[in-house]
């Protein structure tokens, strides 16, 4: 416990551990939404270890680890994971090994939120859109086939309990709303075999029971967990439930972002401002700088794959990073395509991420100091 003095009052805050920080991040940017070949979550460290100071950075480099040590951070929350491939050994002979040894020696944990932070609302691309002054921000490409629906038939008096268990396991989230469900009443019928042990009525006899049909959406990746939770509180020995695939686009998860500038302006004016905001030394641009732009699509990091989505959305300009020569050609005539750099389009998430961690912790009565790295981890220099 730590005490913080404010006037004559003392507030007592509880300490957090690494796992608590992971929970805050994952309730916003769940690990299941990450690209399947990504490696997100705790990379180095003990989930039970107490955390009082967090350094937020895009990359884990030797300088960032040294900075974390000097600023007494117990945890580094990074965007890019430390491990992309399972290491065969942890030794000082390679950079990742040296980092892990130093982190273990200094007792600093690493937690990475990578593509799960890219694909989430208010994640990397939303932060980029906000930094560029866009309004009415939404996903450029909402994720598809992400949701299922579970329908379960439950005796009326157990409906609240089953609903609560399913909600706690992650069901019923639609956009900014949680605990979303629909309930209708009806009559369920059954006749149990001699081996059955019905909760209502007798085995071998035709029975009819008043039941609630409870429906909730659930992310596909969470279906198993939600069904298991539902089963722990449902009173029947044989539970009737259905799982449907639904094709709704996700309101909470997608890639890229699109929005409008408050006022139409020349591509040149927009890019001059963007260059300053993103701390970009140079931009690579295909497009006429005199054209007027208002609708702007963005994707932090490597976003060339979303060019067709930006074209379909009738964006005037698409700003992303890691764009190849032929992709610039493919954009010609449809919109202006801008490569602003990988670090430049992603570092804008660091401050919002730090603020979110701090605010969520404080809202839960937990004490934490969260700060953004003072270093640029961009390995690219312009000469
Ligand atoms: Zn990146």
């Amino acid at each position: 416990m730590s005490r913080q003095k404010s006037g004559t009052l003392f507030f007592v805050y509880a300490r957090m551990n690494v796992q608590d920080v992971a929970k805050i991040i994952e309730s916003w940017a769940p690990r299941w939404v990450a690209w399947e070949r990504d490696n997100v979550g705790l990379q180095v460290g003990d989930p039970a270890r107490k955390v009082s100071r967090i350094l937020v950075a895009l990359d884990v480099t030797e300088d960032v680890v040294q900075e974390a040590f000097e600023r007494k951070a117990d945890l580094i929350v990074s965007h890019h994971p430390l491990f992309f491939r399972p290491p065969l050994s942890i030794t000082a002979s390679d950079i990742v090994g040296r980092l892990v040894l130093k982190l273990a020696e200094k007792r600093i944990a690493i937690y990475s939120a990578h593509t799960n932070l890219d694909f989430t609302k208010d994640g990397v691309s939303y932060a980029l859109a906000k930094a560029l002054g866009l309004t009415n921000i939404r996903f450029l490409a909402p994720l598809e086939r992400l949701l299922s629906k579970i329908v379960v038939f439950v005796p009326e008096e157990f409906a609240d309990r089953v609903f609560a268990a399913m909600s706690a396991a992650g069901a019923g989230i639609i956009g900014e709303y949680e605990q979303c469900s629909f309930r209708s009443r009806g009559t369920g019928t059954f006749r149990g075999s001699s081996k059955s042990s019905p909760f209502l009525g007798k085995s071998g006899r035709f029975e009819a029971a008043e039941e609630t049909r409870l429906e909730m959406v659930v992310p596909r990746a969470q279906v198993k967990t939600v069904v298991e939770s539902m089963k722990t509180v449902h009173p029947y020995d044989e539970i009737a439930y259905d799982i449907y695939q639904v094709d709704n686009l996700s309101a909470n998860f997608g890639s890229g972002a699109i929005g409008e500038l408050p006022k139409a302006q020349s591509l040149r004016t927009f890019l001059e401002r963007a260059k300053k905001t993103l701390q970009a030394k140079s931009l690579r641009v295909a497009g006429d700088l005199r054209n007027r732009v208002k609708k702007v699509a963005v994707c932090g990091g490597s976003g060339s794959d979303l060019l067709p989505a930006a074209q379909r959305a009738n964006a005037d300009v698409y700003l992303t990073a890691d764009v190849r020569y032929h992709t610039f050609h493919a954009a010609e005539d449809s919109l202006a395509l801008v490569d602003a750099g990988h670090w430049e389009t992603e570092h804008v998430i660091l401050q919002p991420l730090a603020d979110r961690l701090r605010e969520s912790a404080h809202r839960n009565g937990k004490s934490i100091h969260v700060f953004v790295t003072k270093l640029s981890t961009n390995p690219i220099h312009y000469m």
Side-chain angles (χ1 to χ4, degrees):
M1 304 287 264
S2 68
R3 284 167 188 277
Q4 190 171 313
K5 197 175 177 185
S6 169
T8 53
L9 290 172
F10 285 91
F11 294 107
V12 180
Y13 284 119
R15 290 276 302 277
M16 299 186 87
N17 58 30
V18 171
Q19 190 56 41
D20 296 328
V21 179
K23 266 191 208 146
I24 291 176
I25 298 172
E26 289 168 19
S27 65
W28 166 43
R31 289 168 60 177
W32 54 258
V33 82
W35 185 46
E36 58 188 350
R37 280 191 276 165
D38 201 0
N39 178 31
V40 301
L42 189 61
Q43 312 270 299
V44 175
D46 176 356
R49 191 163 150 73
K50 295 280 182 231
V51 175
S52 54
R53 295 171 68 83
I54 302 175
L55 176 72
V56 176
L58 221 47
D59 305 282
V60 184
T61 63
E62 287 187 293
D63 288 345
V64 167
V65 173
Q66 182 60 27
E67 183 190 15
F69 172 65
E70 282 166 13
R71 297 174 76 182
K72 298 186 169 49
D74 323 280
L75 170 66
I76 299 171
V77 172
S78 75
H79 179 48
H80 295 130
L82 182 60
F83 302 110
F84 277 106
R85 272 174 258 112
L88 295 173
S89 58
I90 302 287
T91 69
S93 60
D94 65 77
I95 174 68
V96 173
R98 277 199 300 282
L99 286 172
V100 174
L101 292 174
K102 188 162 179 181
L103 289 160
E105 184 195 319
K106 308 289 187 198
R107 306 194 74 186
I108 299 169
I110 301 277
Y111 182 96
S112 301
H114 188 213
T115 48
N116 48 332
L117 195 58
D118 288 324
F119 294 154
T120 203
K121 201 171 169 191
D122 295 324
V124 178
S125 292
Y126 267 64
L128 176 57
K130 272 183 209 161
L132 295 174
L134 304 187
T135 56
N136 185 28
I137 299 166
R138 60 264 182 212
F139 284 117
L140 180 55
L143 292 186
E144 296 173 22
R145 291 183 289 280
L146 208 64
L147 292 172
S148 295
K149 177 172 265 197
I150 300 182
V151 175
V152 56
F153 301 88
V154 55
E156 279 170 20
E157 65 274 26
F158 282 83
D160 283 340
R161 208 180 296 179
V162 169
F163 161 79
M166 289 171 68
S167 294
I173 298 174
I174 303 176
E176 292 299 321
Y177 297 86
E178 50 184 30
Q179 301 186 342
C180 302
S181 72
F182 186 81
R183 302 174 193 200
S184 45
R185 288 177 179 181
T187 307
T189 66
F190 51 89
R191 185 168 70 192
S193 75
S194 57
K195 291 181 192 153
S196 68
S197 50
F199 176 71
L200 301 166
K202 289 208 164 68
S203 51
R205 223 163 62 184
F206 180 78
E207 303 283 356
E210 292 310 300
E211 290 180 341
T212 297
R213 174 192 165 103
L214 173 66
E215 324 184 7
M216 297 180 87
V217 291
V218 54
R220 277 181 204 191
Q222 299 283 93
V223 166
K224 214 169 150 225
T225 316
V226 170
V227 168
E228 273 163 19
S229 291
M230 176 268 285
K231 285 182 174 173
T232 59
V233 292
H234 198 296
Y236 288 178
D237 61 336
E238 199 65 64
I239 302 166
Y241 67 95
D242 309 318
I243 301 167
Y244 299 96
Q245 307 299 325
V246 293
D247 292 329
N248 305 37
L249 295 179
S250 171
N252 300 72
F253 305 106
S255 44
I258 188 163
E260 283 84 33
L261 291 163
K263 259 200 330 218
Q265 52 199 256
S266 71
L267 179 61
R268 180 187 293 279
T269 305
F270 167 67
L271 291 181
E272 272 165 1
R273 200 168 304 144
K275 208 173 152 188
K276 218 175 271 172
T277 308
L278 303 179
Q279 300 170 45
K281 297 266 186 326
S282 155
L283 302 174
R284 298 195 303 143
V285 185
D288 188 334
L289 293 175
R290 294 164 302 182
N291 281 353
R292 308 288 289 169
V293 298
K294 184 162 171 71
K295 198 175 204 184
V296 179
V298 298
C299 180
S302 314
S304 296
D305 291 352
L306 290 177
L307 175 62
Q311 288 167 320
R312 275 195 304 275
N314 289 321
D316 301 312
V317 51
Y318 178 41
L319 184 147
T320 183
D322 304 342
V323 179
R324 287 151 53 125
Y325 175 81
H326 294 294
T327 310
F328 280 110
H329 266 307
E332 271 181 335
D333 299 332
S334 57
L335 46 61
L337 180 59
V338 184
D339 183 336
H342 197 116
W343 179 87
E344 290 82 351
T345 54
E346 289 192 336
H347 72 84
V348 287
I349 187 63
L350 299 181
Q351 194 59 54
L353 173 57
D355 294 343
R356 191 174 190 114
L357 285 175
R358 187 186 313 105
E359 283 156 20
S360 302
H362 288 179
R363 235 190 342 266
N364 294 321
K366 305 276 181 132
S367 144
I368 202 84
H369 295 274
V370 192
F371 36 87
V372 171
T373 178
K374 292 175 180 163
L375 306 170
S376 160
T377 54
N378 191 354
I380 299 164
H381 299 282
Y382 296 87
M383 48 180 290

